[in-house]
Amino acid sequence: MTAVSNPISVTTGPITGSSKTYRELPDGARVPFRRVHLSTGDHLDLYDTSGPYTDDTAVIDLAAGLLARPGVLRNRGTQLQRARNGEITAEMAFIAEREGMPAEVVRDEVARGRAVIPANHNHPESEPMIIGKAFAVKVNANIGNSAVTSSVAEEVEKMVWATRWGADTIMDLSTGRDIHLTREWILRNSPVPVGTVPMYQALEKVDGDPTALTWEVYRDTVIEQCEQGVDYMTVHAGVLLRYIPLTVGRVTGIVSRGGSIMAAWMLARHAESFLYTHFAELCEILARYDVTFSLGDGLRPGSIADANDEAQFAELRTLGELTKIAKAHGVQVMIEGPGHVPMQKIVQNVRLEEDLCEEAPFYTLGPLTTDIAPAYDHITSAIGAAIVAQAGTAMLCYVTPKEHLGLPDRSDVKTGVITYKIAAHAADLAKAHPRAQERDDALSTARFEFRWHDQFALSLDPDTAREFHDETLPAAPAKSAHFCSMCGPKFCSMRISHDVRDAYEKGMAEKSREFSDGGNQVYLPLAATPKRI
Amino acid sequence: MTAVSNPISVTTGPITGSSKTYRELPDGARVPFRRVHLSTGDHLDLYDTSGPYTDDTAVIDLAAGLLARPGVLRNRGTQLQRARNGEITAEMAFIAEREGMPAEVVRDEVARGRAVIPANHNHPESEPMIIGKAFAVKVNANIGNSAVTSSVAEEVEKMVWATRWGADTIMDLSTGRDIHLTREWILRNSPVPVGTVPMYQALEKVDGDPTALTWEVYRDTVIEQCEQGVDYMTVHAGVLLRYIPLTVGRVTGIVSRGGSIMAAWMLARHAESFLYTHFAELCEILARYDVTFSLGDGLRPGSIADANDEAQFAELRTLGELTKIAKAHGVQVMIEGPGHVPMQKIVQNVRLEEDLCEEAPFYTLGPLTTDIAPAYDHITSAIGAAIVAQAGTAMLCYVTPKEHLGLPDRSDVKTGVITYKIAAHAADLAKAHPRAQERDDALSTARFEFRWHDQFALSLDPDTAREFHDETLPAAPAKSAHFCSMCGPKFCSMRISHDVRDAYEKGMAEKSREFSDGGNQVYLPLAATPKRI
C-alpha cells in the first residue's frame, strides 16, 4: 500500500475477561467468537466483530493488510443470484455458524431479498455477516475525515476501535484530502464490510461544485470503489426533481449531503437526477462485484417538524421502484431510513418501507426522538433506534455525541458504538432473538452472586464498568464483597435477599406446618419457579 | 440550622443564554420560567425547576434556607380533599400557569387521583408542581449519601445541581451518617418537592438490623420526617409475607432495599408486614401534613429474566388495594414501577397499574431494557423510560451511569438528569403535549439558519453543546459560519439546502412555464406547506 506520513498504530489484544476462539467449518473457514471466561469455570461465547485485532496470537501488519479469506472467487455472481439458485455459499455457511441459525434460513432470507450479505469479491479481508430482520440487529459506525480535520492514521484506528466495541460494518464518509488512500488503508485492514457514499469522492473530483457533476465522473468513481473492494454504497437515486418543491416548506430543508448535492445539480440543470436515469447501468456495475445497494434517503427529515412528510414518503415510494430494478439485476439492496422522528411516528416508517420495498433490509440513522439535545444525540437517537429495530429494522447507523456539532473523535466513536449495541440488543431481546437473553441472564446471575469480575467481563464495556466501580471501592477485596458503594453494606438488597432465601429455605424445613395457614402460596415448593404472566 | 463542618457552596447564576423571569398571579405568587433569549430578538419561555439559584437578582443564604411561599397554612386538608371539595388551591393556580393548562383541569385531575401535588405544609420553600399523565412528564433525581461515601455539603450541591438541569423532584436516599441533618439542609434549600424512604432512617435507628425494626420506630421516623417537611414517602407496604416464596426462583431475588428489609423482618418474625397491618394509621399521619404516598415496588424485577413475573404483579394488586385505602383517608398516592423490563413487556406494566390502582400516577425507575451494559444504564433505562412515559407514566426516576456500580457523583447526576429530560421530552412529543414541540421547532429553525448561539441556548445542556462544537472550530466567526467540522464547508447539506431553496425560488419566477411538464408537483406554490401524511 502507498505509505502514509503519520505512523499508524491500532488497539490490539483481547477485551478484558475474554479471549478469541474459533469454530472451524468443514471447508476450513474459522468463525470467530469472543469467549468470556467466568470465575465459575463456565464460559459464554459471544458474536465477535473485532477481527484478528483481539486475537493475541495474530500478527498484525497494517501495511500488508489482513489475510484474505481463502476461496473468494470473482465473477461467481452475487449472493442474491446464488441464493436464488439454491446454493448455500461459503459466506452463508459462515454466517449460519456465527448467528446460530440454520444455513437454509440464511439462504432463504437472502433469496427473498429480506437479508443482504455485503461482500464485494474484492474485499476478501472481511468476515462474512448478514443484515436482515431475521438475524441479530446490526450496528454501523460512520468514520472518515472532513476537509477540516483528521488523518489517515486516525481513521484506521477509528475503524479498529469501532469494530473492537461491536460495529458490524463501517462507513468511510471521508470528504477531505486523500479519500482514495484513506479508503485503501481502511479496506485492507477491515474485518467488517465497508460502505461508502461515492458521491462524496465524485464531488471532490469536480472541486466541490455540485453543478459540475456528470454521470461519467460519478460512474467512474463507483467503478474505482468497486475495484477497491467497497461492500455497499449509498446511492441517493430516489431524490427526483419533482420532489424538491416538497422540501421548500420544511423547517430544515434537505439534511442529507447526498440529497442536497443532487438537488443542487437538478435545479441548476433543470434535469432529472442522473442517479435515477442511469440506475440500470449502475445495477450492472454493482452486480459484477456483488456490491450491495444502500438506497439513500436523501429527503429524510432533519427535525421533528419534518418527520413522515410527503417529501420523505414520496422518495420512499421511488426507492421501492428502484429496489425491484436492482433485484431484477441480481443486486442486493437495503433501504436507508430517517433521521428525526418523534416516537409515535416511528413504526409507520418500518411498515411503509416493508410494504413499498418488498421487505428489503431497513437501515436507519437513529431516528432522533427530539431535536433539543445536541451533545446527547446518541441518547435521543438510541431511544428511536431501539423502537425502530424492535419494529423490524435490520441495521442501525450509530449517532455519536458530536452529531450536529463536529466530527467524532475516538472516544465519541466508542460511545456511539456501545450506545447502539444497547439499542440493538434491547431490540433483539424484544424480538426474542435466540441466544440474546443468555448474556443478560449470565450477567444478572453474576451480579446476584457478587461475582464482580464476571459482571464486568460480561458487560458491553468491561473497562468502564470496572473503572466506575473502583472509583469508590478500588481495593481488591471489594471485587468479592457482598455490597458496593451505592448502598453500602447494611442496605445491600441482594445481600439481604440471599439471607431471605436462606431463611426461607431453613423455614421450609422447620416451620412449614406452623405457618401453613398464612395462605396457600406462602410455602410454594422451592423447585417451582414462579409463573411468568 | 445546625452548622455543618464542611463549607457548602452551590452553583448559582443563569443557564447560558437564559435569564429568570416570573409571571405574577393575582394572589401575588410568582411563577418562574427560564427565558431563552434568541439573536432574532425573540424569546422562548421554558418550564423552570431550578428555583432562585438561577436568578441573578436572588440572594442565596444556605444557612437560612430559601424564602417560604406566603400563604401556606397547616391543617387545611390535603390537595386531594380540597380538590374534591371543588377548591382551586393556590398550588393549583400556580401549577396551571406553570404547565399552561386550565386550573380546572389541574383540580379535576387531582380530585380524580390521576395527579398528585406533593406539597407538605411544612415545606413552604418548594415551588408547587404536579405529577400526572395529563401534564408534562416529570423527572426525579435520587441523591443522598451512603455509609461508604459523601457529605452533607456534597448532597446539598447535588440537589441544586440536579434541579438546575431539570430535576422536578429530589429523593434524599441517604443511608449513612447524619441522615436527619442532611435532609434538613436539603429541605430548607430545595425549590422542588423532596421524597424519602423512611425505612432507611428507621433501620439506622436499630443499628442496621432489619429484624430489630418495630412499627413504633418506623412510625416515629415517619412523623419526624413529616414534621421536617418531606413531600412524599416511599412505603413498601405491598410486600406481603405470602409473596416472598414467589421471589425464591428469581434470577436476582429482591432488589429493592425497602422490599428486602421488610422480607427479612417478616421471615424472622413469621409475621405480616407492619407497613401493611398499620397502613390505615400511616394514612392518618400523612393526611395531617398532606404528604403523598409513593407506594414502593419492593418486588420489582432486578433483571430481564424476572420481569413481569407473579411476584411483581401480586404486589401490584396489593398496591391497588392500598391506593383505595389511602384515597379514602384523603391522602394523595402515586405508584412506583420497575426496574428491568424488556421492551415488549413495558406497556403491560402501565396498563395493569392503571387498571389496578385507579390511574394513580405511575412513577417508574427506568425501566432498564437490558442487563448487559453497566456504566451505561442511564441509556439502557432511557429507552425504557421513554416508552413507559409514552404509555402514560407520569414521573421517571432517573438512573445514572453509576447504577449497579457506585454512588453517583456530581457529573453522574447531571448526566442522569439530562438523559431523563430527553426521555421525558420525547414522551411529551409523542403524547402531543401542548407546547412540547415549540422548543424542538425553535432549535431546528436556529440550526437551519446557522444561529449557533441560539442552538446552544435552546438545548438541554448549552455548555456541553458549545464545548463539543468548539473542540474543532473554536474561533468566534465559526459561530455564524454556514457549516461545522462534521462535514466541512463544501458538504454542508443545510448550506446547499439554502442554495436549493434560493435557486428554486428564482426558478419559480423565471422558469415556471418552461418546466411545468415535469409533473404537477414540481412547482407547488411556495406558500403551500407540504402535507404531512
Side-chain angles (χ1 to χ4, degrees):
Chain A
M1 250 175 299
T2 310
V4 291
S5 51
N6 309 33
I8 300 184
S9 76
V10 299
T11 307
T12 58
I15 291 174
T16 309
S18 306
S19 66
K20 178 79 88 183
T21 187
Y22 299 92
R23 296 188 198 150
E24 197 165 316
L25 297 182
D27 71 354
R30 297 167 79 213
V31 183
F33 290 89
R34 173 180 154 207
R35 175 160 291 180
V36 181
H37 302 277
L38 303 179
S39 61
T40 56
D42 295 333
H43 64 258
L44 190 68
D45 287 347
L46 302 175
Y47 193 106
D48 184 358
T49 59
S50 60
Y53 302 100
T54 53
D55 182 347
D56 52 14
T57 68
V59 179
I60 305 293
D61 178 353
L62 294 167
L66 298 180
L67 291 178
R69 274 184 301 124
V72 179
L73 303 173
R74 298 194 184 194
N75 304 318
R76 286 202 52 190
T78 69
Q79 297 286 334
L80 173 57
Q81 291 163 334
R82 295 165 72 187
R84 283 174 180 158
N85 291 337
E87 183 186 351
I88 291 176
T89 64
E91 289 78 10
M92 294 173 198
F94 190 101
I95 287 162
E97 184 63 35
R98 218 173 175 184
E99 296 265 351
M101 299 279 269
E104 179 52 30
V105 171
V106 175
R107 189 204 60 74
D108 186 57
E109 292 289 309
V110 173
R112 293 167 62 178
R114 303 208 319 170
V116 296
I117 299 175
N120 186 328
H121 301 152
N122 291 341
H123 188 208
E125 299 89 349
S126 171
E127 294 168 340
M129 55 80 69
I130 195 162
I131 302 166
K133 69 175 171 177
F135 306 95
V137 175
K138 302 303 187 295
V139 171
N140 171 68
N142 290 339
I143 60 170
N145 63 8
S146 81
V148 176
T149 179
S150 195
S151 72
V152 174
E154 279 175 69
E155 298 312 315
V156 173
E157 162 60 358
K158 274 188 204 164
M159 176 276 291
V160 172
W161 187 240
T163 56
R164 179 179 183 85
W165 299 112
D168 294 283
T169 75
I170 290 292
M171 286 194 84
D172 174 15
L173 302 184
S174 292
T175 59
R177 287 174 301 273
D178 304 323
I179 292 185
H180 184 99
L181 182 66
T182 304
R183 194 171 53 235
E184 182 67 14
W185 277 86
I186 289 172
L187 274 166
R188 299 288 75 81
N189 289 290
S190 175
V192 302
V194 174
T196 60
V197 187
M199 181 59 76
Y200 298 169
Q201 188 182 4
L203 190 66
E204 283 295 332
K205 291 181 180 175
V206 294
D207 294 327
D209 175 6
T211 66
L213 281 167
T214 63
W215 158 245
E216 290 71 23
V217 167
Y218 182 81
R219 180 199 58 201
D220 294 348
T221 307
V222 167
I223 293 171
E224 172 190 337
Q225 298 197 7
C226 284
E227 281 292 328
Q228 217 175 357
V230 168
D231 299 286
Y232 66 90
M233 294 183 185
T234 296
V235 180
H236 297 98
V239 181
L240 303 187
L241 181 58
R242 66 176 181 274
Y243 300 156
I244 298 174
L246 301 176
T247 69
V248 172
R250 279 180 155 187
V251 168
T252 44
I254 301 175
V255 296
S256 147
R257 288 183 259 170
S260 61
I261 291 164
M262 284 314 299
W265 185 89
M266 289 186 280
L267 276 186
R269 307 232 177 173
H270 295 281
E272 191 53 275
S273 162
F274 59 77
L275 298 176
Y276 182 76
T277 57
H278 288 269
F279 191 73
E281 203 176 332
L282 215 43
C283 291
E284 287 162 18
I285 299 169
L286 266 58
R288 284 204 292 278
Y289 303 86
D290 198 5
V291 170
T292 300
F293 270 119
S294 186
L295 293 178
D297 54 335
L299 301 182
R300 66 171 174 269
S303 55
I304 291 297
D306 295 343
N308 292 21
D309 72 356
E310 177 56 20
Q312 183 192 339
F313 288 154
E315 180 188 26
L316 188 56
R317 285 190 289 275
T318 300
L319 297 186
E321 176 196 331
L322 297 172
T323 299
K324 292 180 184 66
I325 296 170
K327 284 163 74 176
H329 284 83
V331 181
Q332 303 187 87
V333 187
M334 52 185 177
I335 306 292
E336 295 185 10
H340 291 235
V341 185
M343 292 170 77
Q344 83 281 12
K345 293 185 179 178
I346 290 175
V347 173
Q348 186 189 3
N349 280 275
V350 184
R351 295 291 87 83
L352 212 51
E353 188 273 344
E354 290 182 340
D355 287 351
L356 295 170
C357 304
E358 303 184 335
E359 298 185 90
F362 204 22
Y363 168 27
T364 63
L365 179 80
L368 285 71
T369 54
T370 167
D371 305 341
I372 68 169
Y376 299 82
D377 278 330
H378 58 308
I379 299 175
T380 65
S381 66
I383 294 168
I387 295 170
V388 87
Q390 181 185 17
T393 287
M395 183 156 77
L396 303 169
C397 182
Y398 85 174
V399 171
T400 79
K402 289 282 166 60
E403 184 74 16
H404 298 116
L405 299 169
L407 208 62
D409 60 21
R410 193 168 175 277
S411 155
D412 298 317
V413 166
K414 179 174 174 181
T415 301
V417 171
I418 300 270
T419 301
Y420 270 67
K421 294 304 277 188
I422 289 169
H425 186 75
D428 284 342
L429 288 174
K431 291 164 68 181
H433 187 271
R435 305 201 306 202
Q437 201 180 315
E438 281 177 10
R439 188 170 178 180
D440 296 75
D441 292 351
L443 190 145
S444 288
T445 302
R447 180 174 281 156
F448 192 64
E449 293 173 359
F450 298 101
R451 290 185 273 115
W452 288 97
H453 284 297
D454 292 350
Q455 194 184 150
F456 302 150
L458 287 160
S459 55
L460 285 177
D461 182 356
D463 305 330
T464 305
R466 181 182 170 137
E467 183 189 313
F468 283 5
H469 174 271
D470 288 2
E471 269 181 32
T472 42
L473 290 173
K479 296 303 187 308
S480 54
H482 283 200
F483 64 94
C484 72
S485 71
M486 199 168 170
C487 310
K490 277 184 199 168
F491 280 87
C492 178
S493 61
M494 292 215 181
R495 189 189 55 70
I496 301 174
S497 208
H498 281 280
D499 295 346
V500 165
R501 197 169 281 194
D502 293 346
Y504 172 73
E505 292 183 19
K506 193 152 162 280
M508 274 290 291
E510 292 173 11
K511 304 279 185 179
S512 61
R513 272 189 313 269
E514 206 173 320
F515 294 94
S516 59
D517 54 357
N520 280 334
Q521 290 180 89
V522 175
Y523 290 105
L524 266 185
L526 255 182
T529 305
K531 203 172 105 248
R532 302 275 147 66
I533 56 172
Chain B
M1 252 176 296
T2 310
V4 290
S5 50
N6 309 32
I8 300 185
S9 76
V10 299
T11 307
T12 59
I15 291 174
T16 309
S18 307
S19 66
K20 180 77 88 183
T21 187
Y22 299 91
R23 297 188 199 149
E24 196 164 317
L25 298 182
D27 71 355
R30 299 167 78 213
V31 183
F33 289 90
R34 172 180 154 205
R35 175 161 290 183
V36 181
H37 303 275
L38 304 178
S39 61
T40 56
D42 294 333
H43 64 258
L44 188 69
D45 287 346
L46 302 174
Y47 193 104
D48 185 358
T49 58
S50 60
Y53 301 101
T54 52
D55 182 348
D56 53 12
T57 68
V59 178
I60 304 293
D61 179 351
L62 294 167
L66 298 179
L67 292 177
R69 275 183 301 124
V72 179
L73 302 173
R74 298 192 185 195
N75 304 320
R76 286 200 52 188
T78 69
Q79 297 287 332
L80 174 57
Q81 290 162 336
R82 294 164 72 185
R84 283 175 180 158
N85 291 338
E87 181 186 352
I88 291 176
T89 63
E91 289 78 10
M92 295 173 198
F94 190 102
I95 287 163
E97 183 64 35
R98 216 171 176 185
E99 297 266 350
M101 300 280 269
E104 178 52 27
V105 171
V106 175
R107 189 205 59 74
D108 186 57
E109 291 289 311
V110 172
R112 293 168 63 180
R114 302 208 319 170
V116 297
I117 299 174
N120 185 328
H121 302 154
N122 290 343
H123 188 207
E125 298 89 348
S126 171
E127 295 168 340
M129 56 79 71
I130 195 162
I131 302 165
K133 69 176 172 179
F135 306 96
V137 175
K138 302 303 187 293
V139 171
N140 170 68
N142 290 339
I143 58 169
N145 64 9
S146 79
V148 176
T149 180
S150 195
S151 71
V152 173
E154 280 176 69
E155 297 312 315
V156 172
E157 163 59 359
K158 275 188 205 165
M159 176 275 292
V160 172
W161 187 239
T163 57
R164 179 178 183 85
W165 299 112
D168 294 283
T169 76
I170 290 290
M171 286 195 84
D172 174 15
L173 302 185
S174 292
T175 59
R177 288 173 299 275
D178 304 323
I179 291 183
H180 184 100
L181 181 67
T182 304
R183 193 171 54 234
E184 182 68 14
W185 277 87
I186 290 172
L187 275 165
R188 299 290 72 82
N189 288 291
S190 175
V192 302
V194 175
T196 59
V197 186
M199 180 60 75
Y200 299 169
Q201 189 182 6
L203 190 66
E204 285 294 330
K205 291 181 180 177
V206 294
D207 293 326
D209 175 8
T211 65
L213 282 166
T214 63
W215 158 246
E216 289 72 23
V217 168
Y218 182 81
R219 179 199 59 203
D220 293 350
T221 307
V222 167
I223 293 171
E224 171 190 337
Q225 298 196 9
C226 284
E227 280 293 326
Q228 218 176 355
V230 169
D231 298 287
Y232 65 90
M233 294 181 185
T234 296
V235 180
H236 297 97
V239 181
L240 303 187
L241 181 58
R242 66 176 181 275
Y243 299 156
I244 298 174
L246 300 176
T247 68
V248 172
R250 281 180 153 187
V251 167
T252 45
I254 303 175
V255 297
S256 147
R257 288 182 261 172
S260 61
I261 291 164
M262 284 314 298
W265 186 90
M266 288 188 280
L267 275 186
R269 306 233 180 174
H270 295 281
E272 191 52 277
S273 162
F274 59 76
L275 297 175
Y276 183 76
T277 57
H278 289 270
F279 191 73
E281 202 176 333
L282 216 43
C283 291
E284 287 164 16
I285 298 168
L286 266 59
R288 285 204 290 277
Y289 302 86
D290 198 5
V291 171
T292 299
F293 270 118
S294 187
L295 294 178
D297 54 337
L299 302 182
R300 68 172 173 267
S303 55
I304 292 295
D306 296 342
N308 292 23
D309 72 356
E310 176 56 20
Q312 183 192 338
F313 288 155
E315 180 187 27
L316 187 57
R317 286 191 288 275
T318 299
L319 297 186
E321 177 196 328
L322 297 172
T323 299
K324 293 182 183 66
I325 296 170
K327 284 162 74 177
H329 284 84
V331 182
Q332 303 186 89
V333 186
M334 53 186 174
I335 306 292
E336 296 185 11
H340 292 236
V341 185
M343 293 170 75
Q344 83 280 14
K345 293 187 179 177
I346 290 175
V347 173
Q348 185 188 5
N349 280 275
V350 183
R351 293 292 88 81
L352 212 52
E353 188 273 343
E354 291 182 341
D355 287 352
L356 294 171
C357 304
E358 303 183 334
E359 297 184 88
F362 203 23
Y363 168 28
T364 63
L365 177 80
L368 287 70
T369 53
T370 167
D371 305 341
I372 68 167
Y376 299 82
D377 279 330
H378 58 307
I379 299 175
T380 66
S381 66
I383 293 168
I387 295 170
V388 86
Q390 180 184 17
T393 287
M395 183 156 77
L396 302 169
C397 181
Y398 84 173
V399 170
T400 78
K402 290 281 167 61
E403 184 74 14
H404 297 116
L405 299 169
L407 209 61
D409 61 21
R410 192 168 176 277
S411 156
D412 298 317
V413 166
K414 179 174 174 182
T415 301
V417 171
I418 301 270
T419 301
Y420 270 67
K421 295 304 277 187
I422 289 169
H425 186 74
D428 285 341
L429 288 174
K431 291 164 68 181
H433 188 270
R435 303 201 307 202
Q437 201 179 316
E438 282 177 10
R439 188 170 178 182
D440 295 75
D441 291 351
L443 190 146
S444 288
T445 302
R447 179 174 282 157
F448 193 64
E449 294 173 358
F450 299 100
R451 290 185 273 116
W452 288 96
H453 283 298
D454 292 350
Q455 194 185 147
F456 303 150
L458 286 159
S459 56
L460 284 177
D461 181 357
D463 304 330
T464 305
R466 181 183 170 135
E467 183 190 312
F468 282 7
H469 175 271
D470 288 3
E471 269 180 33
T472 42
L473 289 172
K479 296 304 187 308
S480 55
H482 283 201
F483 64 92
C484 72
S485 71
M486 198 167 169
C487 310
K490 278 184 197 168
F491 279 87
C492 179
S493 61
M494 293 215 180
R495 188 190 56 69
I496 301 173
S497 208
H498 282 279
D499 295 346
V500 165
R501 199 170 281 194
D502 293 346
Y504 172 74
E505 292 183 19
K506 193 152 162 280
M508 275 290 291
E510 293 173 11
K511 304 278 185 179
S512 61
R513 270 189 313 271
E514 206 171 318
F515 295 93
S516 57
D517 56 357
N520 280 334
Q521 290 178 87
V522 175
Y523 289 105
L524 267 184
L526 255 182
T529 304
K531 202 170 107 247
R532 302 274 147 66
I533 59 173

